[in-house]
């Protein structure tokens, strides 16, 4: 029986990765790269696409490598213990804007972003795989998964709510603010990752293959539950990715800047914070909700329907700061669905890993969970890349002035850009939610 301390320790891992590094990368990076760092829209989109193609190779390899790790700290925990500092350091460097010209900035951004993907993979794939070896009890897996999501969303809430106030406290240029906050959040992320590695336990021993083989990779594509769950994982991250990537543009260009209500600064991070706290609450409710409806598949279906209904409703809200609380209410209602399905996804990966072990006789837990991390990065970054591309098509142009080194933004068709931003936050995710419902219906494990 796992202790409360261990469950909190496991939650700290995703508080660091999901609540800090990935949350900032999801919500801030498209806007940061175009409006602060000075990359063009095309460079931003290309950077994220290249990183995703890179992950298609590195994530499964990392999963296979983690499965074969043997050390005094276990199979998966050493990757967290020794990967904590590199994770925080590379994250800090990624939010630093060097005083280079357009070419130098492009090289720096591509190098740091790809390095961040490598170190994130080296930490997060083993972290996800831990769930498969900490307990064999299905209810306890759901509890660990729920703690994980609550940790991620609770830290995401703190990160996003504090961001504009910390920027104001730091002062100076936006580039300076992001650099200082990157260093601070990097330290916290490293500490949380290290604590997770030290506080958790590996109780189950993976059934290891005697030697490296490509057979586990081939077996994945014969594993029907894995295929459907990977597609579901990609879609859930598409859903979140569109909303987070475009939130900054929505506040800036649809609502004409930060909205202040009774002293509360509602910028793009605070706007999404309301969703984070909702996800945190309903992530904790998710195991009970799943028991009530009867299965993980049914719970996931209802959660996706909630996401669809309130995403469509958001599209019909007027683009006017006077309606900010209506918008916030719809963000909260949409986040009920996200909070309910988020813990289920990782618990279902554990089910798929158990299914694969029974079928093939060899553990591929790390490889299975690596696909979850790959889906997370693939869905989030491709959606961010598509946001940049669609904004470019609608008339949004960004770049760095070669003479001054300053970021330059040009909008050729303001109404087209505003409508595109609004649709990317509402209608695009709504379509993804419908696809999730279909995929869950086809998913073969019904427990």
């Amino acid at each position: 029986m796992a202790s409360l301390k261990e469950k909190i320790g496991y939650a700290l891992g995703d508080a660091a990765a999901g609540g800090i590094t990935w949350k900032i990368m999801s919500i801030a990076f498209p806007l940061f790269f175009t409006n602060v760092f000075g990359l063009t829209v095309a460079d931003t989109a290309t950077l994220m696409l290249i990183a995703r193609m890179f992950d298609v190779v590195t994530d499964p390899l990392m999963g296979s490598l983690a499965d074969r790790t043997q050390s005094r700290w276990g199979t998966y925990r050493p990757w967290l213990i020794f990967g904590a500092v590199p994770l925080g350091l590379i994250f800090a460097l990624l939010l630093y804007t060097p005083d280079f010209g357009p070419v130098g900035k492009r090289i720096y951004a591509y190098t740091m972003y790809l390095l961040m993907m490598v170190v994130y993979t080296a930490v997060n794939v083993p972290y996800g795989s831990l769930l498969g070896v900490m307990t064999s009890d299905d209810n306890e897996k759901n509890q660990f998964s729920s703690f994980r999501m609550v940790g991620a969303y609770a830290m995401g809430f703190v990160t996003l709510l504090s961001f504009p106030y910390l920027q104001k406290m730091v002062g100076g240029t936006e580039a300076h603010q992001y650099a200082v906050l990157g260093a601070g959040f990097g330290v916290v992320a490293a500490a949380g990752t290290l604590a997770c590695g030290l506080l958790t336990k590996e109780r189950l021993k993976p059934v290891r293959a005697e030697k490296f083989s490509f057979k586990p990779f081939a077996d994945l594509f014969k594993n029907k539950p894995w295929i459907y769950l990977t597609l579901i994982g990609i879609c859930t991250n598409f859903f979140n990715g569109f909303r987070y990537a475009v939130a900054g543009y929505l506040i800036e260009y649809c609502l004409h800047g930060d909205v202040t209500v009774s002293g509360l600064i509602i910028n793009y991070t605070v706007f999404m914070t309301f969703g984070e706290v909702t996800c945190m609450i309903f992530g904790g409710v998710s195991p009970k909700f799943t028991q009530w409806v009867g299965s993980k598949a049914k719970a996931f279906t209802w959660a996706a329907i909630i996401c669809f209904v309130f995403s469509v409703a958001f599209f019909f809200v007027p683009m006017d700061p006077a309606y900010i609380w209506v918008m916030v209410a719809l963000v909260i209602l949409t986040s009920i669905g996200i909070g309910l399905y988020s813990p289920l996804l990782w618990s279902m990966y554990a089910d798929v890993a158990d299914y694969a072990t029974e079928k093939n006789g060899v553990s591929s837990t790390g490889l299975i969970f690596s696909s979850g991390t790959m889906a997370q990065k693939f869905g989030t970054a491709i959606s961010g890349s598509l946001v940049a591309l669609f904004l470019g098509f609608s008339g949004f142009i960004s770049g760095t002035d070669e003479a001054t080194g300053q970021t330059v933004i040009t909008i050729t068709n303001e109404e087209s850009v505003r409508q595109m931003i609004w649709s990317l936050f509402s209608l695009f995710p709504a379509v993804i939610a419908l696809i999730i419902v279909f995929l869950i219906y086809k998913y073969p494990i019904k427990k």
Side-chain angles (χ1 to χ4, degrees), residues 292-307:
W292 179 61
V293 299
S295 73
K296 295 175 188 177
K298 288 180 181 178
F300 217 122
T301 300
W302 280 111
I305 290 172
I306 291 170
C307 290

Side-chain angles (χ1 to χ4, degrees), residues 42 99 115 132 158 174 185 192 195 251 255 269 274-275 287 347 363 376 380 403:
D99 189 18
L115 280 175
V158 173
E174 281 193 282
F185 280 118
I251 296 293
L255 303 184
T269 63
F274 293 99
S347 180
S363 174
Q376 179 188 40
T380 302

Side-chain angles (χ1 to χ4, degrees), residues 101-113:
V103 175
K105 279 187 174 181
R106 191 179 302 124
I107 293 171
Y108 182 89
Y110 275 62
T111 302
M112 287 299 117
Y113 197 83

Side-chain angles (χ1 to χ4, degrees), residues 68-126:
R68 287 162 175 77
T69 299
Q70 299 185 58
S71 76
R72 57 181 290 194
W73 298 279
T75 299
Y76 304 113
R77 291 171 56 242
W79 293 95
L80 280 76
I81 294 169
F82 296 103
V85 172
L87 178 73
L89 178 61
I90 299 299
F91 177 73
L93 291 173
L94 188 53
L95 282 169
Y96 173 73
T97 303
D99 189 18
F100 299 154
V103 175
K105 279 187 174 181
R106 191 179 302 124
I107 293 171
Y108 182 89
Y110 275 62
T111 302
M112 287 299 117
Y113 197 83
L114 290 175
L115 280 175
M116 184 64 197
M117 290 301 96
V118 170
V119 72
Y120 186 89
T121 295
V123 167
N124 208 244
V125 169

Side-chain angles (χ1 to χ4, degrees), residues 138 141-142 290 293-301 344 347-348 350-351 440 443 445-447:
D138 197 51
K141 285 179 183 177
N142 286 343
T290 302
V293 299
S295 73
K296 295 175 188 177
K298 288 180 181 178
F300 217 122
T301 300
L344 292 174
S347 180
M348 289 159 75
D351 295 338
I440 285 290
Y443 178 67
I445 299 178
K446 300 300 181 184
K447 68 175 182 178

Side-chain angles (χ1 to χ4, degrees), residues 345-367:
L345 187 66
W346 295 104
S347 180
M348 289 159 75
Y349 270 114
D351 295 338
V352 172
D354 291 343
Y355 170 87
T357 300
E358 286 181 22
K359 184 177 180 181
N360 303 318
V362 175
S363 174
S364 56
T365 301
L367 185 58

